[in-house]
Amino acid sequence: MSPAPARHVYLDYSATTPVDPRVVEAMRPFQSETFGNSHSAHIDGRRAETAVEEARERVAQVLGCKHGEIVFTSGGTESDNLAIRGTALAGLKAGKNHLVTTPVEHSAVGKTMAQLSEYMPFETTLLPVDQSGLVDAEDLADAVRPTTGLVSIIYANNEIGTVQPLARLAQAAHERGALFHTDAVQAPGQLSLDVKALDVDLMSISAHKFYGPKGVGALYVREGISLVPAMTGGSHEEGRRGGTLNTAGIVGMAHALALAAEEMPWRVAHYTALRDRLTQGILQAVPDAIPTGHPTERLASHASFIFDGLDGSILLMHLDMKGVSASSASACKTGNPEPSGVLLALGYPHDTAMGSIRLTVGKDTSVEDVDYAIQQIGETVAKLRRLRQQYA
Amino acid sequence: MTETNKRVVVAMSGGVDSSVAAALMVEQGYDVVGMMMRLWSEPTSEGGAHNRCCTPEQLSDARRIADKLKIPFYVLDTQDVFRGKIVQYFIDTHTDGFTPNPCIECNRHIRFDWLLNNALALEADYLATGHYARVEHTTDGRFLLKKGLDDAKDQSYVLSVLNPSTIDKVLFPVGEYEKPVVRQLAAKFGLPTASKKDSQDLCFLGDGDYRRFLRDHAPQLMAAGPIVRKNGDVIGQHEGLANYTIGQRKGLGVFAAEPLYVLAVNPAVNALVVGTADELGSTSLTASRVNWVAGSPPAASFKAEVKIRYKSRPVPATITVLDGGRFSAAFSQPMRDITPGQGAVIYDGDICLGSGIIERRPA
């Protein structure tokens, strides 16, 4: 066998993160020892319930809300589904049949809205975005009608890293009587999650994006908002979400979220330094690389580019062989790539959008990792462009 | 650098042959990377896909095999280049009255060009496929393309487009085995494809029905027109030129004193030309777009054997090299199935010397 790549550099922390060893420790007792169903009346159930409620308290603390305003879910996708379907259906009787969102949402929001518009009596308005992906509060104000039930806008975009002026947008929605939800899945550890300051009514998070376990998330639901459960079943979570609670996962998420809040200044500084080095290095190695998203209003960990004329999937294959794990919005494992809807919404042409790449740094990323990735990306892009010449 | 330090990309389809090829490469100590090409997908009215190649099942089979072999596996989007070079060629040549062999063109333009170059760009030394053929490296430094050990499965016909700049970079690991042994090897390696049926030609046709495909993509080939004799006498009506092949006797719906066969198609006037068995046969053919595996012909004129279709027997012939990248082949007996568009592939015993595409006979 030929030698393994010189390094293995994981630069896909926006896709998922490893579970922090401290989080693993916090979860350990809740696998085999404290295994009860938190809804059972006996001692085993009560122990689990205590752990779940303590976790709820910790999550509420980070979000600056009451513990009763936190609903535990299976992750970001379910939180988004519950927020949108739950408020949309609850508002229908009051004549609220209009939804507002953006073309740069995660598909958990986008497809849920699309389904409601296709199968239920809802109409969805997509707000315009500028080429960096930002939404204008005035456009939002113009779009909201008396019948608008919910506005949902992503906090920090997963593909292009752009961070929305959430408080301004939420205010515009509230002034016209609409609820405001945000998918904040990319935010923990990097952006404020203070729901009061952000003035949001609903907010989705997912543990595996901030060094917690997969399969667990939470939805903040402002007190007094009625929510039809998207997952019907038992009376768990105050009737807002049926299903036995994932005790270990919930404990892990709460611990990971507390760490993310506590370490946020250090993480943001660490990420920003690496991200800036990465961005500058790539622009030096590939001078015509097109940075995507907003240059300053963006996630500290997030760098994204388009290499015009390249196929993102093939670029990722070459980087994988060199030990660099990255992602591309157009890449798929089936060889049938489609350009990212987000990049098309930003105005990039179809073929240009195929050459996207996303590099996201994490707690464990080093300067050496970043330098290695820059070198490999520079060499690979040059090589693929030479190859492409042959078939132009 | 020893062979075992070398990287080989294996073109995987999810089928038995390419899976065993990958396993043999791993066993022989190569640094193996699996690749699958997403060639074509033709949507149906139901929203599914017609094509038999690169289905989600085959993709997941190939991925599972790669996981089992602990090799990286990637799927390459080949749809644009395949659509342009192969599917359009298939439609265009049919439209011009030829009966093309898209597998030859796929090997010429896709597998041993586009895919090979992608493999080389990934720092591979070789591209391996699951074809039944062999490459022999002679002591004087030449590379010979030889038939697969299993004569019944031999695929050298469609590999006859290899040339000196490609043949030194390709490996055919299963060409050294007979098909039943390959199935045993699949079982030995614990590959889940051990009992799967063989893949088929015209991979991009979902149902294997090229007439349906042409009806969709070249509807003029399904327009009715006259059936004529060589002298121009109209003796009936055909149901669209794509429904007939050279040498076909049944299903013409015309009556004559002697059995009549399809001699040729004339797309310019949408006519199907028929005639007697005597008129059908020819003792010679000419071919263009000639490729010599060794880079040049062995002589200006030489005796060899020629296969005029993938599944036909090789027939002795005298080959004469013509100007303009062409050759002629003269047979001692009239040949009935000489079909413009098919490959005429030249052999010296087990050795495949090269090929050309059969030209239309001058009227």
Side-chain angles (χ1 to χ4, degrees), chain B residues 8 29 70-71 118 126 129 207 215 217 245 255 271 274 291-292 309 311 354-355:
Chain B
V8 57
K70 298 187 170 64
I71 60 171
N118 268 284
Y126 299 107
T129 72
D207 39 18
R215 199 178 306 125
H217 293 272
T245 52
F255 298 96
V274 300
N291 175 68
W292 300 105
R309 286 184 181 183
K311 290 297 178 190
S355 63

Side-chain angles (χ1 to χ4, degrees), chain A residues 1-3 311 313-314 316-318 320-322 332-337 351 354 383-384 387 390-391, chain B residues 4-5 7 29-31 33 35 38 41 59 63 72 74-77 79 113-114 117-118 121-123:
Chain A
M1 306 285 279
S2 65
D311 173 343
S313 310
I314 290 187
L316 293 195
M317 169 179 82
H318 281 261
D320 187 31
M321 291 298 294
K322 295 293 188 185
C332 74
K333 290 165 82 179
T334 61
N336 194 20
D351 284 357
M354 297 301 287
K383 186 160 64 180
L384 292 179
L387 181 63
Q390 294 179 38
Y391 299 93
Chain B
T4 53
N5 283 324
R7 176 173 290 174
Y30 287 92
D31 168 22
V33 178
M35 264 193 208
R38 174 82 176 223
S41 59
L59 246 159
R63 194 184 304 284
Y74 306 101
V75 183
L76 272 65
D77 176 20
Q79 294 174 102
D113 182 355
W114 188 89
N117 278 321
N118 268 284
L122 204 61
E123 293 165 19

Side-chain angles (χ1 to χ4, degrees), chain B residues 62-135:
Chain B
R63 194 184 304 284
R64 218 148 36 98
I65 288 153
D67 281 348
K68 187 158 177 77
L69 297 173
K70 298 187 170 64
I71 60 171
F73 176 78
Y74 306 101
V75 183
L76 272 65
D77 176 20
T78 319
Q79 294 174 102
D80 282 352
V81 59
F82 189 79
R83 186 182 300 115
K85 294 277 190 188
I86 308 304
V87 178
Q88 200 54 48
Y89 171 85
F90 185 78
I91 294 166
D92 290 347
T93 48
H94 263 293
T95 304
D96 291 343
F98 291 90
T99 306
N101 183 318
C103 299
I104 291 180
E105 299 310 319
C106 186
N107 284 332
R108 194 195 311 266
H109 293 296
I110 308 293
R111 203 167 276 107
F112 300 109
D113 182 355
W114 188 89
L115 181 63
L116 176 60
N117 278 321
N118 268 284
L120 297 177
L122 204 61
E123 293 165 19
D125 299 287
Y126 299 107
L127 172 68
T129 72
H131 284 111
Y132 286 84
R134 288 172 292 166
V135 172

Side-chain angles (χ1 to χ4, degrees), chain B residues 31-334:
Chain B
D31 168 22
V32 183
V33 178
M35 264 193 208
M36 185 162 171
M37 292 186 289
R38 174 82 176 223
L39 293 172
W40 170 255
S41 59
E42 190 189 17
T44 62
S45 48
E46 298 84 49
H50 264 319
N51 55 309
R52 295 181 295 183
C53 75
C54 28
T55 61
E57 294 75 33
Q58 288 166 324
L59 246 159
S60 107
D61 283 349
R63 194 184 304 284
R64 218 148 36 98
I65 288 153
D67 281 348
K68 187 158 177 77
L69 297 173
K70 298 187 170 64
I71 60 171
F73 176 78
Y74 306 101
V75 183
L76 272 65
D77 176 20
T78 319
Q79 294 174 102
D80 282 352
V81 59
F82 189 79
R83 186 182 300 115
K85 294 277 190 188
I86 308 304
V87 178
Q88 200 54 48
Y89 171 85
F90 185 78
I91 294 166
D92 290 347
T93 48
H94 263 293
T95 304
D96 291 343
F98 291 90
T99 306
N101 183 318
C103 299
I104 291 180
E105 299 310 319
C106 186
N107 284 332
R108 194 195 311 266
H109 293 296
I110 308 293
R111 203 167 276 107
F112 300 109
D113 182 355
W114 188 89
L115 181 63
L116 176 60
N117 278 321
N118 268 284
L120 297 177
L122 204 61
E123 293 165 19
D125 299 287
Y126 299 107
L127 172 68
T129 72
H131 284 111
Y132 286 84
R134 288 172 292 166
V135 172
E136 194 175 292
H137 195 178
T138 64
T139 49
D140 59 349
R142 291 174 304 130
F143 289 86
L144 303 176
L145 174 63
K146 298 178 77 178
K147 290 179 181 174
L149 200 71
D150 187 336
D151 201 45
K153 299 300 298 181
D154 171 49
Q155 291 174 301
S156 57
Y157 180 88
V158 293
L159 301 170
S160 57
V161 293
L162 289 169
N163 58 47
S165 70
T166 52
I167 194 167
D168 59 336
K169 300 177 192 76
V170 302
L171 300 172
F172 302 123
V174 303
E176 310 291 337
Y177 298 95
E178 307 220 343
K179 180 81 184 198
V181 179
V182 171
R183 287 199 184 281
Q184 285 167 17
L185 285 171
K188 182 195 114 178
F189 290 124
L191 301 178
T193 51
S195 61
K196 264 173 58 172
K197 70 175 173 27
D198 291 355
S199 61
Q200 304 181 45
D201 303 327
L202 297 179
C203 65
F204 58 96
L205 304 182
D207 39 18
D209 183 353
Y210 73 90
R211 291 181 175 124
R212 191 273 311 153
F213 182 85
L214 289 172
R215 199 178 306 125
D216 292 351
H217 293 272
Q220 73 279 12
L221 290 175
M222 287 297 165
I227 299 180
V228 301
R229 296 295 298 262
K230 264 185 152 174
N231 61 13
D233 289 352
V234 176
I235 60 164
Q237 185 166 322
H238 68 78
E239 293 162 4
L241 295 180
N243 292 301
Y244 307 91
T245 52
I246 307 291
Q248 178 177 339
R249 182 183 146 197
K250 291 185 175 150
L252 298 182
V254 292
F255 298 96
E258 297 175 78
L260 294 176
Y261 301 82
V262 174
L263 300 182
V265 294
N266 186 348
V269 291
N270 193 27
L272 186 70
V273 185
V274 300
T276 61
D278 287 349
E279 293 175 283
L280 178 62
S282 175
T283 55
S284 70
L285 64 79
T286 59
S288 55
R289 303 178 65 211
V290 171
N291 175 68
W292 300 105
V293 175
S296 57
S301 182
F302 59 96
K303 289 195 183 306
E305 296 97 53
V306 173
K307 272 175 82 162
I308 58 168
R309 286 184 181 183
Y310 186 21
K311 290 297 178 190
S312 70
R313 304 296 307 168
V315 176
T318 300
I319 309 298
T320 304
V321 178
L322 307 175
D323 287 343
R326 298 166 68 238
F327 69 74
S328 68
F331 306 98
S332 55
Q333 300 285 325

Side-chain angles (χ1 to χ4, degrees), chain A residues 137-192:
Chain A
E138 279 183 34
D139 290 329
L140 171 57
D142 290 345
V144 176
R145 313 167 186 169
T147 54
T148 305
L150 180 73
V151 176
S152 180
I153 297 177
I154 192 164
Y155 192 177
N157 187 273
N158 49 311
E159 287 183 35
I160 55 170
T162 298
V163 177
Q164 301 288 349
L166 222 48
R168 278 215 307 281
L169 298 171
Q171 190 193 346
H174 288 149
E175 280 169 0
R176 283 155 188 79
L179 295 175
F180 192 92
H181 164 253
T182 189
D183 176 326
V185 162
Q186 296 291 337
Q190 302 195 47
L191 298 169
S192 164

